[in-house]
């Protein structure tokens, strides 16, 4: 696929991935980990995916200032202006506003892809084709586009998008009717049956002009903070200015702040083997299973009378397990987690307690 020089990409890589504890730690969260056992971290996979669509120099990575070194280690050759360091966590709207105005200073005619750094995409050819089609529409329209994924199960861990009227000239593109947060199982089943609801992937495509207009209209206080820094971006004054800006900036997501309010929101519906890999359970569905339904990232694992469980064991360690069913077992150098799959939402709570009582293990 030929790269498009007018396309830029914002990769959001600032999360701490607490639901993947203990493999994901505050010092090295899941986007920097080879969680699938492929030899590459999720961030490296995301970056390589985007290099197929736009030039390497057009990719910006927004991350916490604590992860600056990790980003440069994993993706050598980036210049300083491609790694945007957030001094504080302020959710996705400030992150996107910061990167948007950096791109606007360089190319106000750009089309932008916004991608989380920790998602799984199995069919990269279809993904690339979908992104290019979305970019073509965004180039010629005042449109905010999100990618919707055809649901394969009544998933309660994802947000949903209800489609409205189709766009005649572009197959698979629809006006968005409603956004719905994570539903209960009964509602998720109804969403699937209706055929009108798609998973909200958190992937966005839009032009610089469309997203800056949206920020001006729906989040003017966030917009003004980053717009007034236009003369300062890519200068030695940027770091201090951003530090001051983030201290003033509110914590808000782009979904809540803009996408759920705007009237020019579209959804491109596709199926390219997507998962946000938010939990051990979501990883379980994407790993190969043995005849007893067990999935593992491990070199030496001996299982007896064990079913439907997921294991992540260091390559240097032999694990022998007997009598487990529907469990998560994650072993690291200093922590062992054993948790029922049905209770994995509690992992985040465990991490919060660990942060208070045993900070070294968080």
């Amino acid at each position: 696929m030929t790269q498009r020089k007018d396309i830029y990409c914002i990769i959001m890589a600032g999360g701490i991935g607490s639901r993947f504890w203990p493999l994901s730690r505050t010092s090295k969260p899941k986007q920097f980990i080879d969680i699938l056992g492929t030899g590459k971290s999720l961030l490296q996979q995301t970056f390589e995916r985007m290099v197929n669509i736009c030039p390497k120099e057009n990719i910006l990575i927004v991350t916490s200032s604590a992860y600056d070194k990790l980003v440069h280690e994993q993706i050598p050759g980036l210049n300083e202006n491609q790694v945007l360091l957030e001094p504080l966590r302020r959710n996705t709207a400030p992150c996107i506003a910061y990167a948007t105005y950096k791109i606007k200073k360089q190319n106000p005619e750009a089309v932008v892809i916004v991608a989380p750094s920790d998602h799984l995409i199995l069919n990269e050819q279809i993904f690339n084709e979908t992104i290019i089609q979305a970019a073509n529409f965004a180039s010629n329209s005042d449109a905010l586009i999100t990618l919707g994924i055809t649901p394969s199960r009544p998933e309660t861990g994802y947000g949903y998008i209800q489609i409205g009227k189709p766009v005649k000239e572009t197959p698979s593109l629809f006006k968005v009717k409603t956004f719905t947060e994570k539903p209960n199982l009964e509602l998720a089943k109804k969403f699937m049956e209706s055929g009108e609801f798609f998973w909200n992937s958190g992937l966005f495509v839009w032009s610089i002009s469309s997203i800056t207009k949206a920020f001006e209209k729906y989040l003017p206080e966030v917009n003004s903070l980053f717009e007034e820094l236009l003369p300062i971006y890519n200068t030695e004054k940027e770091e201090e200015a951003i530090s001051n800006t983030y201290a003033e900036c509110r914590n808000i997501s782009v979904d809540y702040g803009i996408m759920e309010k705007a009237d020019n929101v579209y959804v491109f519906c596709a199926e390219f083997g997507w998962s946000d890999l938010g939990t051990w359970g979501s990883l379980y569905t994407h790993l190969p299973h043995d005849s007893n339904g067990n999935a593992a990232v491990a070199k030496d694992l001996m299982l007896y009378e064990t079913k439907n469980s997921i294991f992540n064991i260091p390559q240097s360690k032999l694990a022998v397990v007997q009598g487990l069913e529907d469990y998560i077992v994650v072993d690291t150098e200093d922590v062992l987690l054993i948790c029922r799959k049905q209770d994995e939402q509690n992992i985040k709570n465990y991490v919060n307690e660990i942060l208070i009582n045993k900070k070294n293990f968080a």
Side-chain angles (χ1 to χ4, degrees):
M1 178 171 287
T2 306
Q3 294 175 333
R4 268 183 52 176
K5 292 186 179 179
D6 64 327
I7 292 180
Y8 286 68
C9 180
I10 301 166
I11 298 177
M12 299 182 292
I16 57 172
S18 59
R19 289 179 295 176
F20 265 107
W21 183 88
L23 202 63
S24 177
R25 302 291 185 91
T26 307
S27 60
K28 190 175 183 180
K30 68 171 179 174
Q31 61 268 29
F32 301 107
I33 295 169
D34 176 16
I35 222 155
L36 294 160
T38 63
K40 292 178 181 174
S41 72
L42 295 173
L43 173 62
Q44 288 169 323
Q45 291 183 42
T46 303
F47 187 85
E48 289 177 9
R49 192 178 302 130
M50 292 306 165
V51 169
N52 291 324
I53 295 167
C54 68
K56 178 180 178 179
E57 59 270 21
N58 287 11
I59 300 173
L60 275 60
I61 299 172
V62 190
T63 191
S64 164
S65 53
Y67 306 139
D68 184 21
K69 186 179 177 184
L70 274 172
V71 170
H72 284 286
E73 282 175 357
Q74 295 205 351
I75 306 175
L78 295 175
N79 67 54
E80 285 185 10
N81 292 322
Q82 287 179 267
V83 183
L84 284 58
L85 302 177
E86 296 185 292
L88 301 165
R89 290 169 57 98
R90 286 291 184 262
N91 216 315
T92 55
C95 158
I96 290 168
Y98 179 16
T100 295
Y101 278 103
K102 286 266 282 191
I103 294 169
K104 184 175 182 178
K105 183 169 184 177
Q106 188 173 340
N107 182 356
E109 305 300 316
V111 174
V112 179
I113 305 158
V114 179
S117 59
D118 53 2
H119 288 188
L120 172 68
I121 289 169
L122 296 175
N123 193 323
E124 300 208 352
Q125 183 177 341
I126 294 176
F127 172 79
N128 293 349
E129 291 168 0
T130 303
I131 288 289
I132 292 299
Q133 289 177 67
N136 290 341
F137 187 78
S139 297
N140 303 303
S141 311
D142 181 18
L144 306 175
I145 303 169
T146 184
L147 268 57
I149 309 299
T150 306
S152 57
R153 59 186 183 278
E155 174 62 57
T156 59
Y158 297 155
Y160 284 73
I161 302 166
Q162 184 181 18
I163 60 173
K165 292 181 180 178
V167 177
K168 290 179 182 177
E169 66 271 24
T170 309
S172 302
L173 186 67
F174 301 83
K175 279 295 291 281
V176 169
K177 195 170 183 180
T178 60
F179 287 93
T180 305
E181 289 302 308
K182 299 170 184 178
N184 60 34
L185 184 58
E186 186 180 346
L187 194 55
K189 287 177 179 176
K190 288 180 180 176
F191 284 176
M192 265 202 83
E193 290 165 6
S194 75
E196 293 181 6
F197 288 82
F198 292 76
W199 289 336
N200 187 351
S201 70
L203 287 151
F204 306 109
V205 182
W206 44 51
S207 66
I208 286 288
S209 60
S210 293
I211 191 59
T212 51
K213 273 196 284 186
F215 268 107
E216 286 167 11
K217 184 172 182 180
Y218 300 105
L219 289 174
E221 70 284 12
V222 173
N223 183 71
S224 61
L225 285 169
F226 291 96
E227 185 178 29
E228 68 186 20
L229 299 183
L230 266 172
I232 292 170
Y233 292 128
N234 304 334
T235 72
E236 59 188 19
K237 296 179 181 177
E238 180 178 332
E239 184 178 348
E240 183 183 355
I242 285 295
S243 182
N244 295 332
T245 295
Y246 267 75
E248 292 181 49
C249 196
R250 67 189 285 202
N251 185 321
I252 187 167
S253 72
V254 76
D255 295 84
Y256 182 75
I258 293 177
M259 301 301 280
E260 294 179 17
K261 296 179 172 67
D263 56 7
N264 60 333
V265 179
Y266 295 79
V267 57
F268 216 113
C269 299
E271 175 48 60
F272 38 73
W274 172 90
S275 169
D276 77 345
L277 290 182
T279 63
W280 288 108
S282 63
L283 177 61
Y284 172 81
T285 64
H286 291 285
L287 290 173
H289 295 172
D290 68 15
S291 57
N292 291 312
N294 298 305
V297 177
K299 186 179 179 184
D300 289 311
L301 182 61
M302 298 171 68
L303 301 178
Y304 302 91
E305 298 156 37
T306 294
K307 296 178 180 178
N308 305 324
S309 296
I310 178 170
F311 299 87
N312 191 293
I313 308 295
Q315 299 289 306
S316 59
K317 191 174 284 189
L318 167 66
V320 182
V321 180
Q322 185 268 336
L324 292 187
E325 186 167 354
D326 292 309
Y327 266 81
I328 298 163
V329 179
V330 184
D331 192 18
T332 71
E333 186 179 320
D334 58 346
V335 175
L336 172 64
L337 169 72
I338 302 172
C339 173
R340 285 181 299 203
K341 275 189 347 201
Q342 68 188 49
D343 297 328
E344 72 171 338
Q345 296 301 330
N346 293 336
I347 293 174
K348 207 166 187 177
N349 301 331
Y350 305 152
V351 174
N352 289 336
E353 288 186 31
I354 289 161
L355 280 166
I356 297 166
N357 301 314
K358 299 179 183 293
K359 201 168 185 178
N360 290 347
F361 297 100

